Amino acid sequence: MVYESPQPLAADLRSVDDRDEPSRTDTLTAQLCDLIGGPVGDHAVIGRVRFWTPMRVMMAFAVLFLAFSWFGKAGCIQQRPDADGTLGLDWNNGRQYIAMCYSDTVPLYGAEHLNEGAFPYKKEWVEFGGDGKPQVRYMEYPVLSGLYQYASMGIAKAWKMSALPGHSALEVVIYFNVVALGLSLAWLATIWATALVAGRRIWDAALMALSPLVLVHAFTNFDALATAFAAGGLLAWARRKPVLAGVLLGLGGAAKLYPLLLLGPILILCLRAERLDEDESVWGGIRPLRAAGGAIAAAAVTWLAVNAPIAALYPKGWWEFFRLNTERHADPDSIYNVITSFTGWTGFDGLLTPQQTPSILNTVSLLLFLGACAGIAWIGLSAARRPRLAQLVFLVVAAFLLTNKVWSPQYSLWLVPLAVLALPQRRILLAWMTIDALVWVPRMFYYLGTDHKGLPEQWFTGTVLLRDLAVLGLCALVIRQIYRPAEDPVRRDGIDDPGGGILDHAPDPQQPWLPAVLRPRYPAAVTYPMP
């Protein structure tokens, strides 16, 4: 029997058979897909849609969620006349807390004296601390974040002076919208790079576009700039371009320091993969340690190139970020403040005045982080199978946040792209993101104050503790999958490490030149290396 097609056959009859199909492999997605027709069919042709590709679908969802995030902050850029008729922001009666629309970008426009058109790091002003003593202040952000604020201010002032739509709005309102547009583009770039790193599991990045944390914190501060550089650095490493990866991570470190932490796991995994008895041809022209060294050197040179001019011209202004973080006390979101809140503990340093440096807390926080990094390095070197890069990166950044004395709420955005790569379990990640996002509610009402019908501190610190436990749970699951790679969804069907770059499918031998305590522990029933 001969069948005739009612339409001409497509020129390309191939299907992307190796792409992960969440509607068939993930129970949460399968249930949600019932709303739009159910899971993809057994004989569906995958990967030939001309317009609504997975990337474009994710970008559309991301734009929608970013719009919702903007509306969530819009309550704090509402305008009203004062008693004398002067137009100003409507922040009366704690509106920024009751409406939960607070964003650092709005008050910083005046607090950092950007409204004066001053160049960051050059402009200085005097503030009086809680003890009444004067303190000379400068821009408190790393260089790229400060320059981004300065550029946004310039656009806002130019818009205000023009005849463009919206020019009659308050300058700070225009500034917020300019900042939000740039941060939106940065988050879209983060999703794009992460989706490409995910490889056949491209849909894992969809949870970034639909994350509750994006709804709450996309525009709380400037952290999306750093996530874009960090994700770009991981993509460059996955594409076997270590120098470009270092450049991007160096730029990220000039916006927020955390992207530089990604270099540690790269070094550890390359140290494990290095084989002294092989030439460079085995690795396609570059040895693992040389690739890691190139990335680290490029990151250092890039960071110095960005910071050196500001440090040379305005050394006090450049140093303000480091001075402030050294003298800063335990943040309300830190585990140290949680302990204080429930026990009345006065901290490692006892009672301090606002301008006294918590030296012991700084030391303890640093030692705890270094200890966690040492443990993560041991896991990376000694696990029977080499961990994926995203797994170690997630553990390092999570350890930094858990042990640090500061965990500003928007810092949780750092973990989102790393989590979807390290632990692509949608139900688990969605539960953590929801808990983390909901910390914002008691935080705002705690800041409102109990005298204004706000919440007691323990309501806030209790949710912080739940968030910390959730992140610890994610770390435990990642470590479990490192030691049980058969349970890792990414490594099914012969996949090794899509983000590993030159380490993907590389030999993973025992290293006789490493100390015995650092050598991989192979199960007796398993023969390595594995693909």
Side-chain angles (χ1 to χ4, degrees):
M1 182 177 293
V2 178
Y3 294 93
E4 293 186 3
S5 172
Q7 296 291 335
L9 294 176
D12 184 1
L13 301 179
R14 293 173 299 172
S15 177
V16 184
D17 295 324
D18 64 338
R19 179 182 293 170
D20 178 64
E21 301 166 6
S23 64
R24 302 185 66 85
T25 60
D26 180 74
T27 55
L28 175 62
T29 308
Q31 293 172 2
L32 293 174
C33 282
D34 287 339
L35 300 174
I36 55 173
V40 64
D42 290 332
H43 303 288
V45 178
I46 305 297
R48 292 230 319 271
V49 176
R50 293 185 177 180
F51 185 81
W52 285 115
T53 61
M55 186 70 75
R56 287 174 178 169
V57 171
M58 284 187 286
M59 290 297 172
F61 278 125
V63 170
L64 180 63
F65 266 55
L66 288 168
F68 287 151
S69 182
W70 182 89
F71 280 112
K73 302 297 186 184
C76 282
I77 56 174
Q78 300 300 308
Q79 304 169 156
R80 60 168 291 177
D82 296 333
D84 58 357
T86 303
L87 194 65
L89 291 177
D90 184 7
W91 278 32
N92 296 324
N93 301 316
R95 178 189 178 98
Q96 68 273 31
Y97 303 130
I98 296 174
M100 294 182 287
C101 60
Y102 177 82
S103 169
D104 286 335
T105 61
V106 176
L108 284 176
Y109 190 65
E112 302 283 359
H113 293 258
L114 292 166
N115 59 327
E116 301 175 9
F119 184 77
Y121 314 107
K122 179 180 180 181
K123 174 69 178 181
E124 65 178 44
W125 62 92
V126 176
E127 291 182 359
F128 292 89
D131 54 3
K133 295 182 179 179
Q135 174 72 55
V136 178
R137 293 293 311 279
Y138 302 87
M139 166 65 73
E140 65 184 58
Y141 283 84
V143 171
L144 274 190
S145 294
L147 294 181
Y148 176 75
Q149 295 175 63
Y150 180 68
S152 299
M153 173 271 294
I155 295 173
K157 286 186 176 295
W159 196 294
K160 180 70 175 176
M161 297 298 294
S162 71
L164 294 171
H167 73 280
S168 60
L170 288 172
E171 193 172 281
V172 67
V173 173
I174 301 174
Y175 170 77
F176 171 79
N177 288 324
V178 171
V179 167
L181 177 60
L183 294 177
S184 297
L185 295 175
W187 188 249
L188 292 176
T190 305
I191 296 173
W192 171 80
T194 304
L196 293 180
V197 173
R200 65 181 290 270
R201 296 187 59 90
I202 187 173
W203 285 110
D204 288 342
L207 197 53
M208 296 174 57
L210 302 171
S211 173
L213 284 168
V214 173
L215 290 175
V216 180
H217 295 309
F219 309 127
T220 299
N221 205 279
F222 309 97
D223 294 71
L225 300 176
T227 66
F229 285 119
L234 288 177
L235 176 60
W237 180 264
R239 295 289 176 85
R240 301 173 181 247
K241 298 178 180 178
V243 174
L244 177 59
V247 169
L248 292 172
L249 294 177
L251 290 173
K256 293 275 185 175
L257 290 181
Y258 99 88
L260 296 177
L261 299 178
L262 277 59
L263 295 167
I266 289 175
L267 177 61
I268 291 299
L269 293 179
C270 287
L271 180 66
R272 170 170 176 154
E274 182 72 19
R275 299 184 67 179
L276 301 181
D277 58 342
E278 291 180 343
D279 57 32
E280 293 183 358
S281 62
V282 176
W283 301 95
I286 183 170
R287 301 181 71 98
L289 279 181
R290 182 172 296 180
I296 293 171
V301 171
T302 302
W303 187 88
L304 288 172
V306 173
N307 282 269
I310 302 299
L313 293 173
Y314 315 111
K316 292 183 179 180
W318 176 80
W319 183 252
E320 179 73 357
F321 167 75
F322 301 96
R323 182 200 66 79
L324 184 65
N325 281 278
T326 300
E327 298 180 0
R328 192 171 179 175
H329 295 185
D331 191 74
D333 287 69
S334 70
I335 188 60
Y336 310 103
N337 184 64
V338 170
I339 297 173
T340 296
S341 174
F342 285 104
T343 66
W345 177 52
T346 58
F348 293 106
D349 298 272
L351 297 176
L352 299 174
T353 62
Q355 291 186 348
Q356 285 184 298
T357 300
S359 303
I360 300 178
L361 174 61
N362 290 343
T363 302
V364 170
S365 176
L366 177 61
L367 290 177
L368 287 176
F369 176 59
L370 292 178
C373 287
I376 295 168
W378 183 80
I379 291 173
L381 292 172
S382 65
R385 184 175 181 183
R386 184 175 56 246
R388 292 186 291 112
L389 175 60
Q391 293 173 321
L392 288 195
V393 166
F394 175 83
L395 292 176
V396 168
V397 176
F400 176 78
L401 292 174
L402 289 167
T403 60
N404 196 19
K405 66 177 181 179
V406 177
W407 187 334
S408 295
Q410 72 278 358
Y411 286 4
S412 297
L413 285 175
W414 302 356
L415 292 175
V416 173
L418 305 178
V420 300
L421 294 174
L423 187 70
Q425 306 281 356
R426 293 177 181 86
R427 288 192 178 209
I428 295 172
L429 292 185
L430 186 59
W432 155 62
M433 292 179 188
T434 302
I435 293 172
D436 206 327
L438 289 177
V439 174
W440 187 247
V441 178
R443 180 188 180 98
M444 290 291 96
F445 280 89
Y446 163 60
Y447 282 173
L448 183 63
T450 54
D451 53 338
H452 292 91
K453 299 183 179 180
L455 291 175
E457 181 183 17
Q458 285 72 24
W459 285 65
F460 163 53
T461 52
T463 55
V464 170
L465 181 59
L466 287 177
R467 179 206 62 193
D468 290 352
L469 291 175
V471 173
L472 283 171
L474 296 182
C475 293
L477 290 174
V478 170
I479 294 173
R480 175 187 174 90
Q481 291 187 0
I482 289 176
Y483 283 105
R484 299 183 180 182
E487 299 180 8
D488 185 352
V490 176
R491 282 184 152 159
R492 293 172 183 164
D493 302 323
I495 304 299
D496 181 28
D497 184 2
I502 64 170
L503 303 176
D504 185 27
H505 286 288
D508 190 21
Q510 186 176 5
Q511 302 297 329
W513 54 278
L514 286 175
V517 71
L518 297 180
R519 295 175 189 170
R521 268 63 173 169
Y522 299 140
V526 178
T527 302
Y528 285 86
M530 294 181 67

